[in-house]
């Protein structure tokens, strides 16, 4: 009786995690295109690209640990 809420919260948080992963993926792709299209990207742009990529990879690992996937 008391454990149903825990499962519901986990499901909601897993959905939030997957939505955030999609958002980070789109942002990463956009930044990668910006770097590819620029002649001489600045250090800040390269730094932001690395940071976004690290966040995206961290979120993927977290989803893998939690056994979440799109269905």
């Amino acid at each position: 009786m008391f454990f149903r809420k825990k499962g519901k919260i986990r499901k909601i948080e897993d959905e939030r995690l997957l939505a955030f992963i999609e958002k980070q993926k789109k942002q990463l792709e956009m930044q990668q295109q910006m770097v590819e299209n620029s002649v001489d990207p600045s250090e800040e742009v390269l730094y932001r690209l690395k940071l976004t990529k690290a966040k995206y990879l961290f979120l993927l690992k977290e989803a893998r640990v939690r056994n979440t996937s799109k269905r």
Side-chain angles (χ1 to χ4, degrees), residues 33-44:
Q33 259 192 342
M34 187 182 350
V35 169
E36 288 174 6
N37 292 337
S38 67
V39 176
D40 188 24
S42 68
E43 291 295 321
E44 184 178 347

Side-chain angles (χ1 to χ4, degrees), residues 47-70:
Y47 171 74
R48 289 185 186 267
L49 176 65
K50 286 182 181 182
L51 183 64
T52 303
K53 189 173 184 178
K55 286 180 185 179
Y56 177 67
L57 292 176
F58 173 77
L59 292 172
L60 285 178
K61 287 178 186 177
E62 182 66 23
R64 192 175 301 135
V65 167
R66 295 174 74 166
N67 291 325
T68 59
S69 62
K70 285 187 174 180

Side-chain angles (χ1 to χ4, degrees), residues 10-39:
R10 182 179 301 262
K11 184 178 177 183
I12 291 170
E13 290 301 317
D14 287 346
E15 290 172 2
R16 267 184 59 198
L17 177 64
L18 292 174
F20 195 63
I21 288 173
E22 283 297 317
K23 181 180 174 185
Q24 283 296 118
K25 181 179 179 182
K26 288 178 184 179
Q27 189 174 4
L28 178 63
E29 290 171 351
M30 185 177 67
Q31 288 181 350
Q32 283 176 336
Q33 259 192 342
M34 187 182 350
V35 169
E36 288 174 6
N37 292 337
S38 67
V39 176

